[in-house]
Tab-separated table of all heavy atoms in Angstrom:
chain	number	residue	atom	x	y	z
T	828	ARG	N	0.792	-1.168	-0.010
T	828	ARG	CA	0.048	0.025	0.005
T	828	ARG	C	0.877	1.319	-0.033
T	828	ARG	O	0.576	2.240	-0.702
T	828	ARG	CB	-0.902	-0.022	1.199
T	828	ARG	CG	-1.984	1.037	1.173
T	828	ARG	CD	-2.858	0.827	2.201
T	828	ARG	NE	-3.899	1.996	2.235
T	828	ARG	CZ	-4.691	2.288	3.233
T	828	ARG	NH1	-4.675	1.473	4.330
T	828	ARG	NH2	-5.500	3.363	3.174
T	829	PHE	N	1.944	1.247	0.817
T	829	PHE	CA	2.861	2.416	0.899
T	829	PHE	C	4.266	1.941	0.639
T	829	PHE	O	5.051	1.680	1.536
T	829	PHE	CB	2.741	3.063	2.277
T	829	PHE	CG	1.394	3.572	2.593
T	829	PHE	CD1	0.575	2.877	3.547
T	829	PHE	CD2	0.804	4.713	1.934
T	829	PHE	CE1	-0.626	3.256	3.819
T	829	PHE	CE2	-0.464	5.134	2.308
T	829	PHE	CZ	-1.238	4.469	3.251
T	830	PRO	N	4.647	1.782	-0.652
T	830	PRO	CA	5.983	1.182	-1.029
T	830	PRO	C	7.172	1.956	-0.390
T	830	PRO	O	8.164	1.341	-0.084
T	830	PRO	CB	6.058	1.294	-2.502
T	830	PRO	CG	4.658	1.394	-2.962
T	830	PRO	CD	3.847	2.075	-1.885
T	831	LYS	N	7.041	3.148	-0.056
T	831	LYS	CA	8.135	3.950	0.542
T	831	LYS	C	8.349	3.466	1.943
T	831	LYS	O	9.434	3.755	2.608
T	831	LYS	CB	7.846	5.436	0.547
T	831	LYS	CG	7.991	6.086	-0.888
T	831	LYS	CD	7.859	7.523	-0.785
T	831	LYS	CE	7.925	8.130	-2.293
T	831	LYS	NZ	7.769	9.580	-2.163
T	832	LEU	N	7.441	2.790	2.537
T	832	LEU	CA	7.585	2.307	3.949
T	832	LEU	C	8.128	0.837	3.919
T	832	LEU	O	8.339	0.177	4.987
T	832	LEU	CB	6.215	2.300	4.652
T	832	LEU	CG	5.616	3.632	4.871
T	832	LEU	CD1	4.238	3.615	5.558
T	832	LEU	CD2	6.588	4.598	5.611
T	833	SER	N	8.448	0.232	2.699
T	833	SER	CA	9.014	-1.042	2.647
T	833	SER	C	10.483	-0.913	3.128
T	833	SER	O	11.113	0.100	2.951
T	833	SER	CB	8.987	-1.548	1.234
T	833	SER	OG	7.630	-1.736	0.843
T	834	GLY	N	10.991	-1.955	3.690
T	834	GLY	CA	12.362	-1.993	4.118
T	834	GLY	C	12.609	-2.934	5.243
T	834	GLY	O	11.649	-3.654	5.647
T	835	PRO	N	13.730	-2.926	5.786
T	835	PRO	CA	14.137	-3.816	6.880
T	835	PRO	C	13.353	-3.434	8.192
T	835	PRO	O	13.237	-2.259	8.490
T	835	PRO	CB	15.545	-3.724	7.021
T	835	PRO	CG	16.041	-2.487	6.354
T	835	PRO	CD	14.936	-2.200	5.330
T	836	LYS	N	12.853	-4.411	8.836
T	836	LYS	CA	12.259	-4.221	10.166
T	836	LYS	C	13.041	-4.933	11.212
T	836	LYS	O	13.304	-6.138	11.089
T	836	LYS	CB	10.857	-4.683	10.235
T	836	LYS	CG	10.155	-4.656	11.557
T	836	LYS	CD	8.826	-5.268	11.592
T	836	LYS	CE	8.233	-5.259	12.991
T	836	LYS	NZ	7.008	-6.018	13.081
T	837	VAL	N	13.682	-4.215	12.260
T	837	VAL	CA	14.444	-4.773	13.225
T	837	VAL	C	13.643	-5.650	14.201
T	837	VAL	O	12.637	-5.211	14.762
T	837	VAL	CB	15.243	-3.722	13.998
T	837	VAL	CG1	16.002	-4.300	15.159
T	837	VAL	CG2	16.143	-2.945	13.035
T	838	HIS	N	14.095	-6.854	14.318
T	838	HIS	CA	13.350	-7.822	15.315
T	838	HIS	C	14.155	-8.112	16.560
T	838	HIS	O	13.621	-8.522	17.532
T	838	HIS	CB	13.147	-9.136	14.510
T	838	HIS	CG	12.081	-9.059	13.483
T	838	HIS	ND1	10.767	-9.338	13.731
T	838	HIS	CD2	12.194	-8.637	12.193
T	838	HIS	CE1	9.992	-9.167	12.563
T	838	HIS	NE2	10.889	-8.785	11.683
T	839	MET	N	15.482	-7.802	16.583
T	839	MET	CA	16.330	-8.060	17.703
T	839	MET	C	17.435	-7.103	17.738
T	839	MET	O	18.012	-6.717	16.768
T	839	MET	CB	16.866	-9.545	17.616
T	839	MET	CG	17.716	-9.964	18.733
T	839	MET	SD	19.545	-9.547	18.668
T	839	MET	CE	20.044	-10.487	17.263
T	840	GLU	N	17.766	-6.704	19.013
T	840	GLU	CA	18.971	-5.888	19.133
T	840	GLU	C	19.775	-6.484	20.331
T	840	GLU	O	19.187	-6.917	21.296
T	840	GLU	CB	18.569	-4.409	19.598
T	840	GLU	CG	17.773	-3.703	18.554
T	840	GLU	CD	17.318	-2.297	19.002
T	840	GLU	OE1	17.210	-2.121	20.136
T	840	GLU	OE2	17.156	-1.374	18.027
T	841	ALA	N	21.037	-6.465	20.178
T	841	ALA	CA	21.900	-6.914	21.190
T	841	ALA	C	23.225	-6.218	21.281
T	841	ALA	O	23.643	-5.527	20.325
T	841	ALA	CB	22.263	-8.497	20.897
T	842	VAL	N	23.843	-6.279	22.391
T	842	VAL	CA	25.243	-5.737	22.607
T	842	VAL	C	26.088	-6.951	23.094
T	842	VAL	O	25.692	-7.549	24.114
T	842	VAL	CB	25.288	-4.549	23.584
T	842	VAL	CG1	26.713	-4.131	23.826
T	842	VAL	CG2	24.466	-3.366	23.045
T	843	VAL	N	27.178	-7.189	22.435
T	843	VAL	CA	28.070	-8.262	22.810
T	843	VAL	C	29.389	-7.644	23.401
T	843	VAL	O	29.909	-6.815	22.705
T	843	VAL	CB	28.352	-9.209	21.570
T	843	VAL	CG1	29.345	-10.309	22.016
T	843	VAL	CG2	27.046	-9.674	21.021
T	844	GLN	N	29.804	-8.052	24.557
T	844	GLN	CA	31.025	-7.583	25.159
T	844	GLN	C	32.211	-8.509	24.763
T	844	GLN	O	32.031	-9.705	24.841
T	844	GLN	CB	30.950	-7.517	26.609
T	844	GLN	CG	30.092	-6.378	27.197
T	844	GLN	CD	30.108	-6.353	28.702
T	844	GLN	OE1	29.967	-7.384	29.259
T	844	GLN	NE2	30.313	-5.148	29.261
T	845	LEU	N	33.273	-7.884	24.407
T	845	LEU	CA	34.470	-8.678	24.010
T	845	LEU	C	35.595	-8.445	25.048
T	845	LEU	O	35.556	-7.360	25.677
T	845	LEU	CB	34.950	-8.281	22.615
T	845	LEU	CG	33.971	-8.359	21.499
T	845	LEU	CD1	34.449	-7.669	20.311
T	845	LEU	CD2	33.584	-9.760	21.208
T	846	GLY	N	36.492	-9.363	25.194
T	846	GLY	CA	37.644	-9.177	25.964
T	846	GLY	C	38.780	-10.084	25.637
T	846	GLY	O	38.670	-10.992	24.788
T	847	GLU	N	39.887	-10.059	26.382
T	847	GLU	CA	41.008	-10.921	26.191
T	847	GLU	C	40.808	-12.300	26.740
T	847	GLU	O	41.294	-13.360	26.339
T	847	GLU	CB	42.322	-10.309	26.627
T	847	GLU	CG	42.651	-9.014	26.018
T	847	GLU	CD	42.867	-9.114	24.469
T	847	GLU	OE1	43.390	-10.236	24.042
T	847	GLU	OE2	42.407	-8.237	23.758
T	848	HIS	N	40.013	-12.326	27.909
T	848	HIS	CA	39.764	-13.526	28.553
T	848	HIS	C	38.465	-13.415	29.419
T	848	HIS	O	37.982	-12.273	29.641
T	848	HIS	CB	40.930	-13.934	29.544
T	848	HIS	CG	41.401	-12.895	30.410
T	848	HIS	ND1	40.684	-12.497	31.522
T	848	HIS	CD2	42.400	-11.969	30.354
T	848	HIS	CE1	41.277	-11.458	32.170
T	848	HIS	NE2	42.285	-11.121	31.362
T	849	TYR	N	38.013	-14.504	29.909
T	849	TYR	CA	36.713	-14.463	30.696
T	849	TYR	C	36.973	-13.745	32.057
T	849	TYR	O	38.074	-13.943	32.700
T	849	TYR	CB	36.191	-15.816	31.028
T	849	TYR	CG	35.745	-16.596	29.752
T	849	TYR	CD1	36.462	-17.659	29.259
T	849	TYR	CD2	34.621	-16.193	29.038
T	849	TYR	CE1	36.076	-18.388	28.140
T	849	TYR	CE2	34.210	-16.843	27.947
T	849	TYR	CZ	34.955	-17.915	27.437
T	849	TYR	OH	34.517	-18.510	26.260
T	850	PRO	N	35.998	-13.075	32.561
T	850	PRO	CA	36.126	-12.416	33.851
T	850	PRO	C	36.101	-13.492	34.963
T	850	PRO	O	35.698	-14.597	34.777
T	850	PRO	CB	34.974	-11.434	34.026
T	850	PRO	CG	33.942	-11.971	33.019
T	850	PRO	CD	34.718	-12.694	31.934
T	851	THR	N	36.601	-13.117	36.147
T	851	THR	CA	36.486	-13.994	37.373
T	851	THR	C	35.054	-14.432	37.592
T	851	THR	O	34.216	-13.549	37.615
T	851	THR	CB	37.174	-13.306	38.522
T	851	THR	OG1	38.460	-12.838	38.223
T	851	THR	CG2	37.103	-14.214	39.730
T	852	PRO	N	34.868	-15.685	37.754
T	852	PRO	CA	33.431	-16.074	37.983
T	852	PRO	C	32.983	-15.689	39.298
T	852	PRO	O	33.756	-15.424	40.271
T	852	PRO	CB	33.514	-17.606	37.797
T	852	PRO	CG	34.852	-17.942	38.159
T	852	PRO	CD	35.751	-16.850	37.678
T	853	PRO	N	31.662	-15.622	39.524
T	853	PRO	CA	31.138	-15.216	40.797
T	853	PRO	C	31.388	-16.425	41.797
T	853	PRO	O	31.697	-17.520	41.352
T	853	PRO	CB	29.599	-15.061	40.541
T	853	PRO	CG	29.312	-15.819	39.315
T	853	PRO	CD	30.596	-15.738	38.513
T	854	PRO	N	31.191	-16.137	43.074
T	854	PRO	CA	31.398	-17.251	44.049
T	854	PRO	C	30.403	-18.297	43.933
T	854	PRO	O	29.286	-18.006	43.455
T	854	PRO	CB	31.319	-16.535	45.416
T	854	PRO	CG	30.581	-15.285	45.108
T	854	PRO	CD	30.820	-14.888	43.740
T	855	GLU	N	30.750	-19.514	44.352
T	855	GLU	CA	29.756	-20.593	44.336
T	855	GLU	C	28.517	-20.225	45.173
T	855	GLU	O	28.695	-19.580	46.157
T	855	GLU	CB	30.356	-21.842	44.994
T	855	GLU	CG	31.369	-22.548	44.111
T	855	GLU	CD	30.752	-23.373	43.008
T	855	GLU	OE1	29.693	-23.968	43.183
T	855	GLU	OE2	31.310	-23.389	41.898
T	856	PRO	N	27.312	-20.601	44.685
T	856	PRO	CA	26.090	-20.238	45.498
T	856	PRO	C	26.061	-21.021	46.781
T	856	PRO	O	26.705	-22.092	46.874
T	856	PRO	CB	24.979	-20.730	44.659
T	856	PRO	CG	25.558	-21.642	43.531
T	856	PRO	CD	27.036	-21.204	43.483
T	857	ALA	N	25.393	-20.536	47.760
T	857	ALA	CA	25.329	-21.176	49.061
T	857	ALA	C	24.411	-22.450	48.909
T	857	ALA	O	23.680	-22.598	47.991
T	857	ALA	CB	24.623	-20.226	50.061
T	858	ASP	N	24.652	-23.331	49.841
T	858	ASP	CA	23.889	-24.548	49.875
T	858	ASP	C	22.352	-24.214	49.978
T	858	ASP	O	22.026	-23.140	50.629
T	858	ASP	CB	24.260	-25.506	51.108
T	858	ASP	CG	25.598	-26.251	50.778
T	858	ASP	OD1	25.931	-26.321	49.542
T	858	ASP	OD2	26.202	-26.597	51.747
T	859	LEU	N	21.508	-25.005	49.461
T	859	LEU	CA	20.121	-24.779	49.513
T	859	LEU	C	19.536	-25.381	50.767
T	859	LEU	O	19.164	-26.606	50.805
T	859	LEU	CB	19.444	-25.409	48.260
T	859	LEU	CG	19.883	-24.847	46.904
T	859	LEU	CD1	19.225	-25.531	45.776
T	859	LEU	CD2	19.498	-23.421	46.801
T	860	ASP	N	19.492	-24.558	51.797
T	860	ASP	CA	18.882	-25.023	53.047
T	860	ASP	C	17.386	-25.310	52.776
T	860	ASP	O	16.716	-24.596	52.092
T	860	ASP	CB	18.993	-23.988	54.078
T	860	ASP	CG	20.425	-23.802	54.525
T	860	ASP	OD1	21.311	-24.723	54.321
T	860	ASP	OD2	20.776	-22.637	54.950
T	861	HIS	N	16.919	-26.304	53.352
T	861	HIS	CA	15.447	-26.741	53.254
T	861	HIS	C	15.054	-27.147	51.902
T	861	HIS	O	13.860	-27.098	51.526
T	861	HIS	CB	14.570	-25.521	53.825
T	861	HIS	CG	15.006	-24.950	55.058
T	861	HIS	ND1	14.996	-25.630	56.241
T	861	HIS	CD2	15.386	-23.740	55.362
T	861	HIS	CE1	15.429	-24.857	57.234
T	861	HIS	NE2	15.668	-23.657	56.638
T	862	ALA	N	15.944	-27.427	51.019
T	862	ALA	CA	15.596	-27.870	49.657
T	862	ALA	C	15.032	-29.297	49.659
T	862	ALA	O	15.535	-30.093	50.464
T	862	ALA	CB	16.767	-27.746	48.722
T	863	GLU	N	14.120	-29.462	48.847
T	863	GLU	CA	13.480	-30.824	48.693
T	863	GLU	C	13.913	-31.479	47.398
T	863	GLU	O	14.009	-30.762	46.428
T	863	GLU	CB	12.000	-30.729	48.784
T	863	GLU	CG	11.478	-30.241	50.080
T	863	GLU	CD	9.965	-30.084	50.029
T	863	GLU	OE1	9.305	-30.630	49.190
T	863	GLU	OE2	9.407	-29.428	51.021
T	864	ALA	N	14.146	-32.803	47.402
T	864	ALA	CA	14.411	-33.460	46.127
T	864	ALA	C	13.179	-33.446	45.243
T	864	ALA	O	12.043	-33.567	45.765
T	864	ALA	CB	14.800	-34.941	46.493
T	865	CYS	N	13.354	-33.219	44.005
T	865	CYS	CA	12.346	-33.193	43.074
T	865	CYS	C	11.763	-34.647	42.874
T	865	CYS	O	12.565	-35.577	42.701
T	865	CYS	CB	12.789	-32.661	41.693
T	865	CYS	SG	11.410	-32.414	40.604
T	866	THR	N	10.437	-34.776	42.871
T	866	THR	CA	9.916	-36.169	42.861
T	866	THR	C	9.649	-36.610	41.388
T	866	THR	O	9.431	-37.754	41.183
T	866	THR	CB	8.549	-36.185	43.523
T	866	THR	OG1	7.709	-35.264	43.053
T	866	THR	CG2	8.823	-35.948	45.073
T	867	LEU	N	9.756	-35.691	40.423
T	867	LEU	CA	9.547	-36.025	39.028
T	867	LEU	C	10.843	-36.782	38.535
T	867	LEU	O	11.892	-36.428	38.885
T	867	LEU	CB	9.329	-34.807	38.214
T	867	LEU	CG	7.967	-34.099	38.259
T	867	LEU	CD1	8.082	-32.763	37.512
T	867	LEU	CD2	6.831	-34.886	37.810
T	868	THR	N	10.546	-37.654	37.549
T	868	THR	CA	11.738	-38.146	36.758
T	868	THR	C	11.987	-37.172	35.635
T	868	THR	O	11.174	-36.300	35.275
T	868	THR	CB	11.362	-39.527	36.166
T	868	THR	OG1	10.357	-39.355	35.150
T	868	THR	CG2	10.960	-40.508	37.225
T	869	VAL	N	13.169	-37.337	35.055
T	869	VAL	CA	13.572	-36.373	33.956
T	869	VAL	C	12.535	-36.573	32.778
T	869	VAL	O	12.132	-35.602	32.216
T	869	VAL	CB	14.987	-36.623	33.515
T	869	VAL	CG1	15.356	-35.858	32.244
T	869	VAL	CG2	15.994	-36.235	34.603
T	870	SER	N	12.254	-37.814	32.582
T	870	SER	CA	11.246	-38.066	31.439
T	870	SER	C	9.942	-37.493	31.670
T	870	SER	O	9.323	-36.812	30.839
T	870	SER	CB	11.135	-39.624	31.322
T	870	SER	OG	10.233	-39.936	30.309
T	871	ASP	N	9.474	-37.619	32.989
T	871	ASP	CA	8.112	-37.015	33.348
T	871	ASP	C	8.184	-35.472	33.294
T	871	ASP	O	7.186	-34.835	32.877
T	871	ASP	CB	7.703	-37.408	34.754
T	871	ASP	CG	7.283	-38.816	34.802
T	871	ASP	OD1	7.026	-39.440	33.777
T	871	ASP	OD2	7.269	-39.343	36.018
T	872	TYR	N	9.370	-34.873	33.573
T	872	TYR	CA	9.476	-33.511	33.452
T	872	TYR	C	9.366	-33.028	32.018
T	872	TYR	O	8.555	-32.113	31.734
T	872	TYR	CB	10.882	-33.086	34.028
T	872	TYR	CG	11.143	-31.606	33.910
T	872	TYR	CD1	10.520	-30.647	34.690
T	872	TYR	CD2	11.998	-31.190	32.916
T	872	TYR	CE1	10.743	-29.333	34.507
T	872	TYR	CE2	12.296	-29.757	32.703
T	872	TYR	CZ	11.649	-28.818	33.563
T	872	TYR	OH	11.867	-27.551	33.345
T	873	TYR	N	10.130	-33.637	31.143
T	873	TYR	CA	10.062	-33.100	29.701
T	873	TYR	C	8.784	-33.465	29.042
T	873	TYR	O	8.253	-32.770	28.198
T	873	TYR	CB	11.198	-33.729	28.930
T	873	TYR	CG	12.497	-32.970	29.175
T	873	TYR	CD1	13.645	-33.536	29.873
T	873	TYR	CD2	12.635	-31.568	28.907
T	873	TYR	CE1	14.788	-32.788	30.113
T	873	TYR	CE2	13.788	-30.848	29.209
T	873	TYR	CZ	14.857	-31.477	29.750
T	873	TYR	OH	16.021	-30.728	29.974
């Protein structure tokens, strides 16, 4: 209907950070106090 409006439409934007090496990872997470074992099997989950 309006050919002048034809053209690329952006669907995604991203910024990627580059470096010489990976940064220091965060500390290990704390143990999960009061955590319960999951009763589902992997097959039942998926």
Side-chain angles (χ1 to χ4, degrees):
R828 188 168 176 198
F829 301 105
K831 289 183 179 180
L832 297 177
S833 295
K836 176 184 175 190
V837 175
H838 289 266
M839 180 274 295
E840 295 175 336
V842 174
V843 179
Q844 287 182 314
L845 305 169
E847 297 301 321
H848 51 78
Y849 295 110
T851 304
E855 285 283 324
D858 285 336
L859 296 175
D860 295 333
H861 314 296
E863 297 178 13
C865 188
T866 58
L867 290 171
T868 66
V869 172
S870 177
D871 289 342
Y872 175 75
Y873 282 117

